[in-house]
Amino acid sequence: MGHVRGETTSSVPAAGGVTADHQVREPGREADPAVFVLDKHGTPLQPTTPARARKLLASGRAVVARHTPFVIRLKDRTANHSEVAGVEIGIDPGSKHTGIAVFTTVTGERRGRYSIQLDHRGATIRKKLEQRAAYRRGRRSRNLRYRAPRFLNRTRPKGWLPPSLQHRVDTTTSWVDRLARWVRVTAVHVERVAFDTHAISAGRPLEGAEYQHGTLHGMEVREYLLAKFGRACVYCGAMGVPLNIDHVRPRSRGGSDRVANLVLACIPCNQTKGNRPVEEFAPKRAAEILKPAKAPLRDAAAVNATRWALWRALDARMPTRTASGGRTKWNRTRCALPKTHTLDALAVGTLDTVNAWPRTVLVIGATGRGQYQRTRTDKHGFPRLRLPRVKQFFGFATGDLVRAVVPSGKNAGTHAGRVAVRSSGSFAVRTASGLYTARHKHFRLLQRADGYAYTRQPEGTTP
């Protein structure tokens, strides 16, 4: 497996430009629910607790291999002399956010060890591609240099996905590969379907489909409506309350059970509406309610378009088990788990119960690695600014994870976060509390830029 930029893969503690600093401890490091452990040869061992990791580092038995997620490497232990049970990974794919849960399983009981929320940049990629296409169309239509149209001479391979969708697959599989380098992964659980579209279109129970009549019966349509209407009542907008499935046109007045005639309503609105049509119950908002009821789900379409590609990519790497979104919700409701991407990932597949889960989530935002373009353009596509040809200044590059210890001034203090470099030597570091500037001599490198931004949030916080 190839080297990934920003990670320390050699046996030298400070290799790859990562500086281990044990004298200044970054605030928030105690929030790590678990610490990944490697043996002296870089082979993954079983994750340990932060308290034991501190003891190993203080005694000199271990060194820091990576800052975020936190990984240590033992100097006196090999995998052959260790008991490694391994972990499993649950994945809840999403259009904007994907939840990843690392957990152990003993006789059907799951215990969450690490939670990751992966924020995709598919919308940004789509916007950039549309912007580039607009620039090219503009250049062809002006009396400038000629550029022949190329919209009919391009072939796409089988299984091709748009770049904005392929990004979701590549980012998720990349992080599964990274986790497999830090911990022994025995299986992956992933949602391959969100809901049964054939059963939804029929509007009635299908003959011969026993799973629709079992414990999960009704979960598929409800999950579809929850995703479509944002888990809110369409009449009053209430969220965080029990929601019922309501017929826009009541069945007593000729309405059907087709999904286009179904919306979500809180209990008071549902009881007040009764068997009246929406035009009579809310005449001023009837058009506003009917429009989204028949509108397609763009985010759901994006997720459904990538689920099979994601499953094929994961199944080629390691044993991968699939489940539906309806079963995930049934597991989450039965185990009384809050609704988050990471806890949905913990509830994917077949399980008996969930004993524990991390209280802190590592939020990983895909930021990209910059761009090759060295010329900024105006809104018409003409050059307005030229960037320097080099990206590193004084040993730092934009996006590096750094710690700045500023002794005096209005920005005095210790600040850890991603840095933005300038050729003048005046750098800026962005943290959870704000933006701070200082001279480059006050910065210490923690981890090279790897195309992601890292923050933490309490479990139960919805994006």
Side-chain angles (χ1 to χ4, degrees):
M1 197 169 293
H3 171 64
V4 177
R5 179 185 174 191
E7 297 183 19
T8 306
T9 57
S10 68
S11 60
V12 183
V18 180
T19 304
D21 185 4
H22 306 290
Q23 299 179 356
V24 181
R25 184 162 55 191
E26 176 192 354
R29 173 57 60 197
E30 304 297 330
D32 281 337
V35 176
F36 299 108
V37 183
L38 307 176
D39 72 350
K40 61 187 300 184
H41 301 300
T43 304
L45 303 177
Q46 200 72 2
T48 187
T49 61
R52 180 164 178 79
R54 288 194 303 271
K55 294 180 180 180
L56 293 173
L57 292 171
S59 62
R61 294 184 55 197
V63 294
V64 177
R66 182 183 170 89
H67 185 273
T68 306
F70 199 58
V71 184
I72 64 174
R73 181 176 57 82
L74 299 178
K75 298 191 294 184
D76 57 355
R77 180 74 67 85
T78 61
N80 296 332
H81 299 85
S82 304
E83 183 178 348
V84 183
V87 300
E88 300 179 25
I89 294 180
I91 300 176
D92 174 42
S95 173
K96 300 177 181 178
H97 315 277
T98 292
I100 302 177
V102 179
F103 57 87
T104 55
T105 304
V106 179
T107 63
E109 298 181 354
R110 291 185 180 179
R111 183 181 182 87
R113 302 301 301 273
Y114 208 89
S115 297
I116 294 175
Q117 177 181 300
L118 191 57
D119 295 346
H120 301 297
R121 58 192 298 262
T124 303
I125 294 175
R126 178 182 177 183
K127 180 181 177 181
K128 293 291 185 181
L129 290 176
E130 291 176 347
Q131 187 179 36
R132 185 183 67 178
Y135 286 157
R136 290 180 173 178
R137 283 194 299 268
R139 287 198 296 266
R140 294 190 194 105
S141 62
R142 300 189 194 104
N143 290 326
L144 302 175
R145 65 182 180 85
Y146 176 73
R147 184 183 180 93
R150 297 187 300 169
F151 55 88
L152 293 177
N153 63 345
R154 298 177 182 177
T155 59
R156 294 172 177 172
K158 185 178 180 180
W160 177 87
L161 289 174
S164 58
L165 300 184
Q166 186 64 43
H167 155 78
R168 296 175 172 91
V169 178
D170 294 341
T171 306
T172 305
T173 55
S174 174
W175 271 100
V176 171
D177 291 339
R178 292 189 180 201
L179 291 172
R181 289 197 294 269
W182 304 326
V183 64
R184 182 179 296 177
V185 179
T186 59
V188 176
H189 305 262
V190 62
E191 284 187 9
R192 191 167 61 180
V193 291
F195 29 75
D196 193 332
T197 55
H198 182 56
I200 291 176
S201 300
R204 58 179 177 81
L206 300 178
E207 295 181 3
E210 288 81 9
Y211 69 94
Q212 285 290 88
H213 302 277
T215 312
L216 299 180
H217 180 55
M219 288 291 184
E220 311 292 347
V221 174
R222 180 177 292 274
E223 190 68 15
Y224 176 87
L225 295 175
L226 288 172
K228 187 171 188 176
F229 296 103
R231 302 178 180 274
C233 174
V234 297
Y235 300 117
C236 65
M239 300 182 67
V241 298
L243 298 173
N244 292 340
I245 297 179
D246 181 58
H247 293 76
V248 177
R249 181 168 296 279
R251 297 177 61 183
S252 60
R253 298 197 178 189
S256 66
D257 288 331
R258 296 186 65 86
V259 71
N261 192 47
L262 301 179
V263 295
L264 294 177
C266 63
I267 295 177
C269 290
N270 191 17
Q271 294 178 347
T272 305
K273 178 176 178 290
N275 67 339
R276 291 182 291 173
V278 66
E279 294 85 358
E280 181 181 340
F281 173 67
K284 296 182 179 180
R285 298 194 57 208
E288 181 182 352
I289 295 172
L290 291 174
K291 183 177 180 180
K294 298 184 179 181
L297 278 172
R298 173 176 294 180
D299 289 342
V303 174
N304 288 334
T306 57
R307 286 181 188 271
W308 283 88
L310 177 61
W311 169 72
R312 293 189 187 99
L314 293 173
D315 194 52
R317 288 167 166 79
M318 58 191 68
T320 304
R321 303 164 188 170
T322 61
S324 70
R327 174 168 287 278
T328 299
K329 181 184 177 181
W330 181 68
N331 289 336
R332 174 169 50 81
T333 304
R334 183 166 52 90
C335 298
L337 301 177
K339 168 60 181 174
T340 63
H341 292 283
T342 49
L343 291 182
D344 273 356
L346 184 59
V348 171
T350 303
L351 59 93
D352 292 337
T353 184
V354 176
N355 287 336
W357 61 88
R359 303 302 175 183
T360 304
V361 177
L362 177 64
V363 181
I364 303 175
T367 60
R369 299 178 181 267
Q371 57 186 4
Y372 292 106
Q373 182 183 10
R374 297 287 87 190
T375 302
R376 296 285 177 84
T377 62
D378 58 14
K379 63 179 181 179
H380 303 292
F382 291 97
R384 67 173 181 85
L385 178 65
R386 300 189 184 278
L387 302 178
R389 294 290 178 180
V390 296
K391 293 188 176 181
Q392 279 199 5
F393 295 99
F394 304 97
F396 297 91
T398 296
D400 288 346
L401 190 61
V402 300
R403 178 186 291 117
V405 182
V406 185
S408 60
K410 65 177 183 179
N411 293 325
T414 301
H415 315 289
R418 299 178 72 241
V419 65
V421 301
R422 301 186 183 93
S423 58
S424 63
S426 177
F427 294 172
V429 57
R430 181 173 296 279
T431 67
S433 58
L435 186 68
Y436 303 92
T437 58
R439 297 295 299 176
H440 66 88
K441 62 182 180 180
H442 300 307
F443 285 79
R444 180 185 294 272
L445 182 65
L446 298 177
Q447 184 172 291
R448 286 293 183 189
D450 59 354
Y452 298 94
Y454 303 95
T455 57
R456 289 178 176 83
Q457 69 181 21
E459 182 59 273
T461 305
T462 56

